Amino acid sequence: MAQQHLDPTNRLAERAEPARPAGPVPAEALACYLRAQATEFLRALRLHRESGTGANGSSGSGVGDGSAAPVDAARALRRAARRLSGTLHTYQPLLDADWAEGMRPELAWLSGTLAMEHAYASRLERLLQALHRLSGSSAFPARRQVAAATVSATLPAPPAAPDRGNLTVGAAKAGALLDRQLTLARTRAHSTALQALGSSRFHAVADKVALLASEVPLRATADVTADLRSLAGAAEGRLADAVAALPLVTAGHPYNAEALIHGLSPDPAPHPQDAPWHQVRLLLRLHRYAREVLAGEDGPSGEDARLLTAGQSLDRHRDASEAAAAAAQAARTPRIAPATAYALGVLHADQRHEVEAARYAFQHDWRHRSVRPASAQ
Amino acid sequence: MAQQHLDPTNRLAERAEPARPAGPVPAEALACYLRAQATEFLRALRLHRESGTGANGSSGSGVGDGSAAPVDAARALRRAARRLSGTLHTYQPLLDADWAEGMRPELAWLSGTLAMEHAYASRLERLLQALHRLSGSSAFPARRQVAAATVSATLPAPPAAPDRGNLTVGAAKAGALLDRQLTLARTRAHSTALQALGSSRFHAVADKVALLASEVPLRATADVTADLRSLAGAAEGRLADAVAALPLVTAGHPYNAEALIHGLSPDPAPHPQDAPWHQVRLLLRLHRYAREVLAGEDGPSGEDARLLTAGQSLDRHRDASEAAAAAAQAARTPRIAPATAYALGVLHADQRHEVEAARYAFQHDWRHRSVRPASAQ
């Protein structure tokens, strides 16, 4: 194959591991972290390919059989790409400017592209689960397996009819409609991801990551340790400012009914209220990664665990927000039955209340952090 | 008129007021309370008739003009009827058995019949308000006046088109549908109430109340004061037992998503979970009235205010529960547009979350009472 020479996974095996220093010195923390994440990226990529899904898009057999390995590999790949991208962003002044500026959008493109299939699958799973909960059914639809099969599956599983045993006609029809629409979106995202993994653009990124695993292009600086702490502090400050602008007092009053305002708005983009929370989610993630760099091999502290919990509330906020939008979107499908539309309305409102619940959880998480953010001191 | 001789309102004016003792002695508290409520009943009835709506159902002119007087009179009538009925229930062993057993169902029939029109009007108001809130509109529909016109209006106002200026097509259509259905129900309830107020059955009740205003048929007992406290304690115990059976721990966790379970259930009576709360609402009311008897002219205490607040949370629970059911019922109307059904689904879920919010508020109210119920000591 023409692209064989670009494949960085084999190269990694020999070069990345020995390049990792035994124990990082503080000033070396950034380089050490970037090397470790690059190594992780390449390890995940190798694992992903070994699990059967070639980047060239060939239809392998024996994949999509429910094995967790390819799913884990795809997740690890996204995870490393996000960390590399975030670290390049926060610590850019310490790195070669041209290199960092060229690499970051490519990593963001990659993690964004790889995330889509998983996002559609988990959105469908969330909505079907909610439909079952709303139908008073404790049974779980037989979709978990399908939903969990992400980019790893070469061909998506044929859309399975949702288990309608415990659903009303409206809920069953709404479930089938969402299944159809989100499975189609997932299939497209799957193709896009496969194309991306087979593209020369991806091979260029992987090549750069392979180089990074052995050599980090640090810029000469007087005191790397001081600069590291200062840049991490700036990231924390950006997070604190964004959190301070959130309506946390309102969010702290249970059942404030804010999230469903505009639930029936004629505005086609009715939820600008979600945007600041999505922004905080991204800034919180950058703050967490910045702390990982400083922590070196110390591992996560209690504060890191609290930040992780707060971040999970914001993940839930984002997921519920997008699920609510998907239910509203499905309700605009022409010629659906009134019972289907009614079920989608209930589902939309349910997910908007999940949005509100996630905000409540986040303000609780945030308020109970022991360490105050820098700007709040 | 044939029923003129049964009309008790004039009789009251001369007899009830002088019969009221200057200050109740403890053992006399029950008789004093019943006389006062009977007097209040007759005063409200007189006021109601003076405001223009004859009990004979003649179509008076100049009523339903938005004046608050007839609405207040109707409310005062219901209020006194509820208190008389509740007191007869709690303190029945201290009263003439045949008399109390004969009178209580008649009072319950009366207050129930009179309550229906108001219930439909306020349900419509609640739902239209919610539709506006969900449409992100701060404007309030021009229905408040119509909704407030209760049994006092001889003829219901012609159904006004709701203000659709800020509503989507679906929300506007849902509002119009609810307006049509609940206005029809209100009109029927209005006729029923007028018929009731003109019936010989009502005149018999009013006659008995007029007698009660002057003479309370107490049963001879060794120690009325001790019995009063014991019977009030029993009412409090029934309340405490019913509250103890409520899922208060769950209700105390915000966003527990319990109230919307079964929101899409095929079960035609999907909310048996509401029944214990409705029951507590009634027992709390009986407990409040029982305390009023004991308080005599001391007036309400801080504990009474807290009980009132807790009761208001349960009123809100009941109102939201019935509004949610009305939205679900409207969605079953044949041949409605999908957009209408979608809006009704959102509305249903919104009101079920109001149910959940009311439960949260009640458990908070209850937990913060200073006096613990008898059975919890």
Side-chain angles (χ1 to χ4, degrees), chain B residues 301-329:
Chain B
S301 67
E303 170 69 358
D304 289 312
R306 283 184 288 275
L307 286 171
L308 188 64
T309 302
Q312 283 164 345
S313 293
L314 294 174
D315 290 347
R316 185 175 152 217
H317 179 274
R318 193 264 323 257
D319 292 346
S321 166
E322 295 186 345
Q329 184 58 41

PDB file of all heavy atoms in Angstrom, chain B residues 301-329:
ATOM      1  N   SER B 301     -50.722  30.137  65.400  1.00  0.00           N
ATOM      2  CA  SER B 301     -49.358  30.180  65.924  1.00  0.00           C
ATOM      3  C   SER B 301     -48.362  30.008  64.780  1.00  0.00           C
ATOM      4  O   SER B 301     -48.746  29.852  63.622  1.00  0.00           O
ATOM      5  CB  SER B 301     -49.164  29.048  66.929  1.00  0.00           C
ATOM      6  OG  SER B 301     -49.230  27.802  66.246  1.00  0.00           O
ATOM      7  N   GLY B 302     -47.079  30.025  65.145  1.00  0.00           N
ATOM      8  CA  GLY B 302     -46.045  29.776  64.139  1.00  0.00           C
ATOM      9  C   GLY B 302     -46.189  28.394  63.533  1.00  0.00           C
ATOM     10  O   GLY B 302     -46.007  28.209  62.330  1.00  0.00           O
ATOM     11  N   GLU B 303     -46.554  27.427  64.379  1.00  0.00           N
ATOM     12  CA  GLU B 303     -46.749  26.071  63.880  1.00  0.00           C
ATOM     13  C   GLU B 303     -47.896  26.029  62.865  1.00  0.00           C
ATOM     14  O   GLU B 303     -47.813  25.319  61.856  1.00  0.00           O
ATOM     15  CB  GLU B 303     -47.032  25.129  65.062  1.00  0.00           C
ATOM     16  CG  GLU B 303     -47.492  23.730  64.690  1.00  0.00           C
ATOM     17  CD  GLU B 303     -46.409  22.887  64.031  1.00  0.00           C
ATOM     18  OE1 GLU B 303     -45.304  23.407  63.830  1.00  0.00           O
ATOM     19  OE2 GLU B 303     -46.680  21.714  63.701  1.00  0.00           O
ATOM     20  N   ASP B 304     -48.951  26.808  63.137  1.00  0.00           N
ATOM     21  CA  ASP B 304     -50.061  26.857  62.181  1.00  0.00           C
ATOM     22  C   ASP B 304     -49.595  27.407  60.839  1.00  0.00           C
ATOM     23  O   ASP B 304     -50.001  26.914  59.781  1.00  0.00           O
ATOM     24  CB  ASP B 304     -51.191  27.720  62.747  1.00  0.00           C
ATOM     25  CG  ASP B 304     -51.889  27.030  63.909  1.00  0.00           C
ATOM     26  OD1 ASP B 304     -52.237  25.847  63.763  1.00  0.00           O
ATOM     27  OD2 ASP B 304     -52.050  27.662  64.969  1.00  0.00           O
ATOM     28  N   ALA B 305     -48.733  28.421  60.898  1.00  0.00           N
ATOM     29  CA  ALA B 305     -48.219  29.007  59.656  1.00  0.00           C
ATOM     30  C   ALA B 305     -47.395  27.978  58.885  1.00  0.00           C
ATOM     31  O   ALA B 305     -47.482  27.884  57.661  1.00  0.00           O
ATOM     32  CB  ALA B 305     -47.374  30.238  59.976  1.00  0.00           C
ATOM     33  N   ARG B 306     -46.608  27.182  59.628  1.00  0.00           N
ATOM     34  CA  ARG B 306     -45.801  26.167  58.959  1.00  0.00           C
ATOM     35  C   ARG B 306     -46.674  25.074  58.344  1.00  0.00           C
ATOM     36  O   ARG B 306     -46.407  24.586  57.249  1.00  0.00           O
ATOM     37  CB  ARG B 306     -44.791  25.567  59.948  1.00  0.00           C
ATOM     38  CG  ARG B 306     -43.595  26.481  60.202  1.00  0.00           C
ATOM     39  CD  ARG B 306     -42.566  25.824  61.113  1.00  0.00           C
ATOM     40  NE  ARG B 306     -43.031  25.744  62.496  1.00  0.00           N
ATOM     41  CZ  ARG B 306     -42.905  26.726  63.391  1.00  0.00           C
ATOM     42  NH1 ARG B 306     -42.328  27.862  63.053  1.00  0.00           N
ATOM     43  NH2 ARG B 306     -43.347  26.594  64.616  1.00  0.00           N
ATOM     44  N   LEU B 307     -47.734  24.714  59.079  1.00  0.00           N
ATOM     45  CA  LEU B 307     -48.655  23.715  58.527  1.00  0.00           C
ATOM     46  C   LEU B 307     -49.336  24.253  57.274  1.00  0.00           C
ATOM     47  O   LEU B 307     -49.560  23.525  56.310  1.00  0.00           O
ATOM     48  CB  LEU B 307     -49.709  23.339  59.576  1.00  0.00           C
ATOM     49  CG  LEU B 307     -49.229  22.446  60.715  1.00  0.00           C
ATOM     50  CD1 LEU B 307     -50.299  22.339  61.788  1.00  0.00           C
ATOM     51  CD2 LEU B 307     -48.866  21.047  60.195  1.00  0.00           C
ATOM     52  N   LEU B 308     -49.667  25.529  57.307  1.00  0.00           N
ATOM     53  CA  LEU B 308     -50.303  26.152  56.145  1.00  0.00           C
ATOM     54  C   LEU B 308     -49.369  26.090  54.937  1.00  0.00           C
ATOM     55  O   LEU B 308     -49.783  25.715  53.832  1.00  0.00           O
ATOM     56  CB  LEU B 308     -50.666  27.603  56.476  1.00  0.00           C
ATOM     57  CG  LEU B 308     -51.499  28.341  55.430  1.00  0.00           C
ATOM     58  CD1 LEU B 308     -52.861  27.689  55.273  1.00  0.00           C
ATOM     59  CD2 LEU B 308     -51.660  29.815  55.811  1.00  0.00           C
ATOM     60  N   THR B 309     -48.109  26.417  55.154  1.00  0.00           N
ATOM     61  CA  THR B 309     -47.115  26.370  54.071  1.00  0.00           C
ATOM     62  C   THR B 309     -46.986  24.952  53.515  1.00  0.00           C
ATOM     63  O   THR B 309     -46.984  24.745  52.296  1.00  0.00           O
ATOM     64  CB  THR B 309     -45.747  26.849  54.593  1.00  0.00           C
ATOM     65  OG1 THR B 309     -45.901  28.172  55.101  1.00  0.00           O
ATOM     66  CG2 THR B 309     -44.711  26.854  53.489  1.00  0.00           C
ATOM     67  N   ALA B 310     -46.901  23.976  54.421  1.00  0.00           N
ATOM     68  CA  ALA B 310     -46.798  22.582  53.977  1.00  0.00           C
ATOM     69  C   ALA B 310     -48.040  22.188  53.186  1.00  0.00           C
ATOM     70  O   ALA B 310     -47.955  21.479  52.176  1.00  0.00           O
ATOM     71  CB  ALA B 310     -46.607  21.662  55.179  1.00  0.00           C
ATOM     72  N   GLY B 311     -49.191  22.668  53.653  1.00  0.00           N
ATOM     73  CA  GLY B 311     -50.438  22.378  52.945  1.00  0.00           C
ATOM     74  C   GLY B 311     -50.469  23.003  51.557  1.00  0.00           C
ATOM     75  O   GLY B 311     -50.976  22.405  50.609  1.00  0.00           O
ATOM     76  N   GLN B 312     -49.890  24.180  51.447  1.00  0.00           N
ATOM     77  CA  GLN B 312     -49.856  24.841  50.139  1.00  0.00           C
ATOM     78  C   GLN B 312     -48.977  24.071  49.158  1.00  0.00           C
ATOM     79  O   GLN B 312     -49.279  24.005  47.963  1.00  0.00           O
ATOM     80  CB  GLN B 312     -49.368  26.287  50.299  1.00  0.00           C
ATOM     81  CG  GLN B 312     -50.455  27.200  50.860  1.00  0.00           C
ATOM     82  CD  GLN B 312     -49.932  28.525  51.395  1.00  0.00           C
ATOM     83  OE1 GLN B 312     -48.723  28.673  51.609  1.00  0.00           O
ATOM     84  NE2 GLN B 312     -50.825  29.471  51.626  1.00  0.00           N
ATOM     85  N   SER B 313     -47.902  23.470  49.668  1.00  0.00           N
ATOM     86  CA  SER B 313     -47.079  22.623  48.793  1.00  0.00           C
ATOM     87  C   SER B 313     -47.900  21.439  48.286  1.00  0.00           C
ATOM     88  O   SER B 313     -47.774  21.040  47.125  1.00  0.00           O
ATOM     89  CB  SER B 313     -45.847  22.117  49.545  1.00  0.00           C
ATOM     90  OG  SER B 313     -44.980  23.186  49.840  1.00  0.00           O
ATOM     91  N   LEU B 314     -48.746  20.890  49.165  1.00  0.00           N
ATOM     92  CA  LEU B 314     -49.574  19.754  48.744  1.00  0.00           C
ATOM     93  C   LEU B 314     -50.705  20.192  47.816  1.00  0.00           C
ATOM     94  O   LEU B 314     -51.132  19.427  46.945  1.00  0.00           O
ATOM     95  CB  LEU B 314     -50.120  19.030  49.976  1.00  0.00           C
ATOM     96  CG  LEU B 314     -49.040  18.339  50.826  1.00  0.00           C
ATOM     97  CD1 LEU B 314     -49.645  17.776  52.104  1.00  0.00           C
ATOM     98  CD2 LEU B 314     -48.346  17.235  50.039  1.00  0.00           C
ATOM     99  N   ASP B 315     -51.198  21.411  47.996  1.00  0.00           N
ATOM    100  CA  ASP B 315     -52.171  21.958  47.030  1.00  0.00           C
ATOM    101  C   ASP B 315     -51.531  22.043  45.645  1.00  0.00           C
ATOM    102  O   ASP B 315     -52.135  21.672  44.636  1.00  0.00           O
ATOM    103  CB  ASP B 315     -52.618  23.363  47.454  1.00  0.00           C
ATOM    104  CG  ASP B 315     -53.485  23.346  48.709  1.00  0.00           C
ATOM    105  OD1 ASP B 315     -53.946  22.252  49.102  1.00  0.00           O
ATOM    106  OD2 ASP B 315     -53.688  24.424  49.298  1.00  0.00           O
ATOM    107  N   ARG B 316     -50.292  22.535  45.636  1.00  0.00           N
ATOM    108  CA  ARG B 316     -49.560  22.671  44.380  1.00  0.00           C
ATOM    109  C   ARG B 316     -49.328  21.287  43.759  1.00  0.00           C
ATOM    110  O   ARG B 316     -49.423  21.119  42.537  1.00  0.00           O
ATOM    111  CB  ARG B 316     -48.223  23.358  44.690  1.00  0.00           C
ATOM    112  CG  ARG B 316     -47.373  23.681  43.502  1.00  0.00           C
ATOM    113  CD  ARG B 316     -46.147  24.458  43.962  1.00  0.00           C
ATOM    114  NE  ARG B 316     -45.003  24.265  43.096  1.00  0.00           N
ATOM    115  CZ  ARG B 316     -43.745  24.188  43.513  1.00  0.00           C
ATOM    116  NH1 ARG B 316     -43.451  24.296  44.802  1.00  0.00           N
ATOM    117  NH2 ARG B 316     -42.766  24.020  42.656  1.00  0.00           N
ATOM    118  N   HIS B 317     -49.044  20.314  44.604  1.00  0.00           N
ATOM    119  CA  HIS B 317     -48.876  18.935  44.137  1.00  0.00           C
ATOM    120  C   HIS B 317     -50.154  18.449  43.451  1.00  0.00           C
ATOM    121  O   HIS B 317     -50.109  17.908  42.341  1.00  0.00           O
ATOM    122  CB  HIS B 317     -48.538  18.050  45.338  1.00  0.00           C
ATOM    123  CG  HIS B 317     -48.360  16.595  45.004  1.00  0.00           C
ATOM    124  ND1 HIS B 317     -49.420  15.701  44.945  1.00  0.00           N
ATOM    125  CD2 HIS B 317     -47.255  15.879  44.697  1.00  0.00           C
ATOM    126  CE1 HIS B 317     -48.952  14.511  44.622  1.00  0.00           C
ATOM    127  NE2 HIS B 317     -47.647  14.588  44.468  1.00  0.00           N
ATOM    128  N   ARG B 318     -51.267  18.681  44.095  1.00  0.00           N
ATOM    129  CA  ARG B 318     -52.543  18.244  43.547  1.00  0.00           C
ATOM    130  C   ARG B 318     -52.848  18.978  42.235  1.00  0.00           C
ATOM    131  O   ARG B 318     -53.230  18.371  41.230  1.00  0.00           O
ATOM    132  CB  ARG B 318     -53.644  18.501  44.585  1.00  0.00           C
ATOM    133  CG  ARG B 318     -54.982  17.834  44.310  1.00  0.00           C
ATOM    134  CD  ARG B 318     -55.966  18.751  43.601  1.00  0.00           C
ATOM    135  NE  ARG B 318     -55.914  20.134  44.022  1.00  0.00           N
ATOM    136  CZ  ARG B 318     -56.785  20.719  44.836  1.00  0.00           C
ATOM    137  NH1 ARG B 318     -57.765  20.018  45.340  1.00  0.00           N
ATOM    138  NH2 ARG B 318     -56.684  22.007  45.124  1.00  0.00           N
ATOM    139  N   ASP B 319     -52.658  20.289  42.232  1.00  0.00           N
ATOM    140  CA  ASP B 319     -52.954  21.085  41.039  1.00  0.00           C
ATOM    141  C   ASP B 319     -52.091  20.647  39.850  1.00  0.00           C
ATOM    142  O   ASP B 319     -52.587  20.509  38.732  1.00  0.00           O
ATOM    143  CB  ASP B 319     -52.715  22.572  41.322  1.00  0.00           C
ATOM    144  CG  ASP B 319     -53.734  23.127  42.314  1.00  0.00           C
ATOM    145  OD1 ASP B 319     -54.753  22.451  42.560  1.00  0.00           O
ATOM    146  OD2 ASP B 319     -53.503  24.238  42.843  1.00  0.00           O
ATOM    147  N   ALA B 320     -50.789  20.453  40.111  1.00  0.00           N
ATOM    148  CA  ALA B 320     -49.886  20.057  39.019  1.00  0.00           C
ATOM    149  C   ALA B 320     -50.223  18.658  38.528  1.00  0.00           C
ATOM    150  O   ALA B 320     -50.190  18.389  37.323  1.00  0.00           O
ATOM    151  CB  ALA B 320     -48.435  20.119  39.484  1.00  0.00           C
ATOM    152  N   SER B 321     -50.562  17.770  39.446  1.00  0.00           N
ATOM    153  CA  SER B 321     -50.943  16.408  39.080  1.00  0.00           C
ATOM    154  C   SER B 321     -52.161  16.421  38.153  1.00  0.00           C
ATOM    155  O   SER B 321     -52.187  15.721  37.130  1.00  0.00           O
ATOM    156  CB  SER B 321     -51.238  15.609  40.357  1.00  0.00           C
ATOM    157  OG  SER B 321     -51.913  14.410  40.059  1.00  0.00           O
ATOM    158  N   GLU B 322     -53.144  17.234  38.496  1.00  0.00           N
ATOM    159  CA  GLU B 322     -54.363  17.268  37.679  1.00  0.00           C
ATOM    160  C   GLU B 322     -54.141  18.011  36.372  1.00  0.00           C
ATOM    161  O   GLU B 322     -54.733  17.659  35.342  1.00  0.00           O
ATOM    162  CB  GLU B 322     -55.510  17.874  38.499  1.00  0.00           C
ATOM    163  CG  GLU B 322     -55.857  16.958  39.682  1.00  0.00           C
ATOM    164  CD  GLU B 322     -57.075  17.397  40.463  1.00  0.00           C
ATOM    165  OE1 GLU B 322     -57.504  18.553  40.291  1.00  0.00           O
ATOM    166  OE2 GLU B 322     -57.585  16.588  41.260  1.00  0.00           O
ATOM    167  N   ALA B 323     -53.283  19.014  36.393  1.00  0.00           N
ATOM    168  CA  ALA B 323     -52.960  19.721  35.149  1.00  0.00           C
ATOM    169  C   ALA B 323     -52.212  18.798  34.191  1.00  0.00           C
ATOM    170  O   ALA B 323     -52.478  18.788  32.981  1.00  0.00           O
ATOM    171  CB  ALA B 323     -52.134  20.963  35.449  1.00  0.00           C
ATOM    172  N   ALA B 324     -51.291  18.004  34.729  1.00  0.00           N
ATOM    173  CA  ALA B 324     -50.552  17.045  33.894  1.00  0.00           C
ATOM    174  C   ALA B 324     -51.514  16.046  33.266  1.00  0.00           C
ATOM    175  O   ALA B 324     -51.399  15.707  32.083  1.00  0.00           O
ATOM    176  CB  ALA B 324     -49.500  16.316  34.730  1.00  0.00           C
ATOM    177  N   ALA B 325     -52.491  15.593  34.053  1.00  0.00           N
ATOM    178  CA  ALA B 325     -53.473  14.641  33.532  1.00  0.00           C
ATOM    179  C   ALA B 325     -54.330  15.288  32.442  1.00  0.00           C
ATOM    180  O   ALA B 325     -54.663  14.638  31.445  1.00  0.00           O
ATOM    181  CB  ALA B 325     -54.352  14.129  34.674  1.00  0.00           C
ATOM    182  N   ALA B 326     -54.657  16.568  32.626  1.00  0.00           N
ATOM    183  CA  ALA B 326     -55.457  17.261  31.610  1.00  0.00           C
ATOM    184  C   ALA B 326     -54.687  17.395  30.301  1.00  0.00           C
ATOM    185  O   ALA B 326     -55.266  17.241  29.215  1.00  0.00           O
ATOM    186  CB  ALA B 326     -55.875  18.641  32.128  1.00  0.00           C
ATOM    187  N   ALA B 327     -53.387  17.661  30.389  1.00  0.00           N
ATOM    188  CA  ALA B 327     -52.566  17.763  29.176  1.00  0.00           C
ATOM    189  C   ALA B 327     -52.498  16.404  28.481  1.00  0.00           C
ATOM    190  O   ALA B 327     -52.626  16.313  27.251  1.00  0.00           O
ATOM    191  CB  ALA B 327     -51.161  18.256  29.524  1.00  0.00           C
ATOM    192  N   ALA B 328     -52.318  15.330  29.258  1.00  0.00           N
ATOM    193  CA  ALA B 328     -52.268  13.983  28.677  1.00  0.00           C
ATOM    194  C   ALA B 328     -53.608  13.634  28.034  1.00  0.00           C
ATOM    195  O   ALA B 328     -53.657  13.031  26.958  1.00  0.00           O
ATOM    196  CB  ALA B 328     -51.905  12.965  29.755  1.00  0.00           C
ATOM    197  N   GLN B 329     -54.690  14.019  28.716  1.00  0.00           N
ATOM    198  CA  GLN B 329     -56.026  13.746  28.204  1.00  0.00           C
ATOM    199  C   GLN B 329     -56.249  14.492  26.879  1.00  0.00           C
ATOM    200  O   GLN B 329     -56.774  13.928  25.915  1.00  0.00           O
ATOM    201  CB  GLN B 329     -57.065  14.184  29.253  1.00  0.00           C
ATOM    202  CG  GLN B 329     -58.504  13.864  28.893  1.00  0.00           C
ATOM    203  CD  GLN B 329     -58.723  12.377  28.662  1.00  0.00           C
ATOM    204  OE1 GLN B 329     -58.190  11.556  29.394  1.00  0.00           O
ATOM    205  NE2 GLN B 329     -59.476  12.040  27.622  1.00  0.00           N
TER     206      GLN B 329
END
